[in-house]
Amino acid sequence: MKIVVLAGGISTEREISIVSGTGVCKALRGKGHQAILVDVYCGDARKTAETAFSGSYDVDADAAYIRSFDEKLEEMSSRSDFFGPRVLELCRAADAVFLALHGENGENGKVQAAFDLLGIRYTGSGSLGSALAMDKELSKQLFRENHVPTPAGIVLRKNEERRAAAENGVGLPCVVKPSCGGSSVGVSIAHTEEEYGRALEEGFRYEDVLIVEQYIKGREFSVGIVDGEVYPVIEIAPIQGFYDYHNKYQAGCTVETCPAELSPELTKRMQEYALQAYEALRLESYGRIDVMMDEANEMYCLEANTLPGMTPTSLLPQEAAALGMDYASLCEKLIAVSLRKSN
């Protein structure tokens, strides 16, 4: 198949997206596909639909080309067009587009909506599910309406009057996070009023809408779902602090256990909650649900990842490996199940 692996972009998760895309592209080429790596925002004027998928190809060279734009992004961000040079031309010429995008304008449904209008086939959920899952305010509303357990929380907007944590209905300790962010960027845990104030300032650096929610003390897990099949639960245990951006992506900072050491009963209950959350958000093809379990074994769905990380050591590939599926085969499967929704 001719496949464009779309990565990069201008979100705070740009670098992780490039790492995901590079891994996916290499895996697909190893399976015999004519896969190419393209930055959704910066594009590649060197490529044409007629020649891009033929001949020899160096994935690492294109990854380096994408990173060459890193220092120019602020200068480029004033332009009105989101899609970079030749991006749509290349995507239309491909049999499928593997979305290795993370964060804003990758997971929020806008790219998916544009591709739907253009008849471009892509991996992951459609525009509606992507938009619902990206917005944590809407996610929590849908979780509550569909009886999916989730931490108590409130929404704060930048221009609204701010109450002390003790008076906001959530109390301390609490978690403060941007409503539409990913990879735990801008997320803080506040134990005191002073920390709460700093957490709000930090969160509002990234977005104008924040979620303040109940802090759940306990164990953290993630559950992948592919084509309606719930994958083995993986436990995430940071050596220090919580599962923030540093602990997610710095080797050796987190112990990840898959399958998680849970009783069959607890495993089944967590997988059922994850599937309920997936369905409540209208997700399709695949995704990953983050779950906390407190000291009394009560479970809380935190959020959904519609385009979960796809580095070879990311959580979803680890869950697939527990089922005996290698990384390259998982990449192929994600394409296959996604293309079925557009047939």
Side-chain angles (χ1 to χ4, degrees):
M1 293 176 66
K2 295 178 181 178
I3 302 168
V4 169
V5 179
L6 214 52
I10 53 175
S11 82
T12 54
E13 299 170 78
R14 172 179 172 82
E15 175 56 27
I16 301 306
S17 171
I18 296 170
V19 176
S20 284
T22 301
V24 169
C25 195
K26 287 181 177 179
L28 292 173
R29 291 192 71 85
K31 285 283 192 176
H33 297 285
Q34 296 166 287
I36 60 173
L37 184 65
V38 179
D39 188 319
V40 64
Y41 188 76
C42 303
D44 194 339
R46 307 168 306 170
K47 291 182 171 62
T48 67
E50 291 74 26
T51 62
F53 299 98
S54 58
S56 60
Y57 182 73
D58 187 334
V59 181
D60 288 323
D62 263 3
Y65 176 75
I66 290 173
R67 288 190 175 95
S68 73
F69 290 94
D70 287 355
E71 302 302 319
K72 308 170 189 174
L73 288 177
E74 187 173 350
E75 176 187 339
M76 297 170 64
S77 63
S78 61
R79 77 170 198 229
S80 58
D81 293 339
F82 177 71
F83 294 106
R86 301 277 172 85
V87 169
L88 293 178
E89 174 189 336
L90 294 168
C91 290
R92 288 174 123 164
D95 298 306
V97 175
F98 194 110
L99 294 180
L101 301 169
H102 304 316
E104 187 180 6
N105 290 333
E107 289 188 83
N108 63 7
K110 293 182 180 180
V111 168
Q112 290 82 354
F115 282 3
D116 286 341
L117 289 172
L118 295 170
I120 295 170
R121 303 199 296 174
Y122 56 89
T123 57
S125 289
S127 58
L128 175 60
S130 299
L132 293 174
M134 191 68 179
D135 189 319
K136 296 179 180 64
E137 178 182 1
L138 292 176
S139 293
K140 290 187 86 67
Q141 289 178 15
L142 287 168
F143 286 167
R144 292 184 188 117
E145 290 171 6
N146 289 275
H147 310 292
V148 178
T150 190
I154 61 169
V155 177
L156 287 183
R157 290 175 171 80
K158 196 169 188 176
N159 58 354
E160 291 178 343
E161 180 183 355
R162 303 179 197 175
R163 295 182 178 180
E167 301 172 357
N168 67 11
V170 178
L172 294 168
C174 64
V175 180
V176 178
K177 55 189 177 183
S179 181
C180 295
S183 283
S184 298
V185 175
V187 176
S188 303
I189 297 176
H191 296 85
T192 66
E193 290 289 353
E194 184 179 2
E195 290 179 352
Y196 178 63
R198 289 200 299 266
L200 295 184
E201 294 304 320
E202 174 68 10
F204 282 131
R205 286 179 54 214
Y206 296 95
E207 290 182 27
D208 291 342
V209 181
L210 301 180
I211 303 295
V212 180
E213 68 181 14
Q214 168 193 9
Y215 171 69
I216 307 298
K217 183 180 180 182
R219 300 162 66 187
E220 186 165 358
F221 303 87
S222 198
V223 186
I225 299 170
V226 179
D227 200 24
E229 178 186 358
V230 185
Y231 276 24
V233 176
I234 186 168
E235 181 169 6
I236 307 149
I239 294 172
Q240 289 186 332
F242 69 102
Y243 197 48
D244 60 5
Y245 187 92
H246 174 79
N247 285 331
K248 283 176 191 254
Y249 301 119
Q250 186 68 38
C253 290
T254 303
V255 177
E256 296 162 350
T257 306
C258 188
E261 295 178 358
L262 292 168
S263 70
E265 179 186 23
L266 290 175
T267 298
K268 181 181 179 183
R269 177 149 57 100
M270 191 174 293
Q271 290 176 320
E272 288 174 347
Y273 283 146
L275 188 58
Q276 283 179 246
Y278 180 92
E279 292 174 345
L281 296 176
R282 318 295 199 269
L283 302 188
E284 304 169 280
S285 305
Y286 64 95
R288 213 189 68 228
I289 309 297
D290 295 335
V291 182
M292 287 294 299
M293 185 175 75
D294 68 16
E295 295 166 322
N297 293 339
E298 293 296 323
M299 299 176 187
Y300 303 84
C301 291
L302 302 179
E303 58 190 75
N305 301 270
T306 55
L307 294 176
M310 281 298 294
T311 72
T313 58
S314 291
L315 301 181
L316 186 61
Q318 288 188 63
E319 294 178 53
L323 293 173
M325 187 186 310
D326 64 38
Y327 175 75
S329 297
L330 173 64
C331 293
E332 279 195 315
K333 181 169 185 175
L334 298 184
I335 293 172
V337 301
S338 298
L339 291 188
R340 283 207 295 272
K341 78 173 187 290
S342 58
N343 286 340

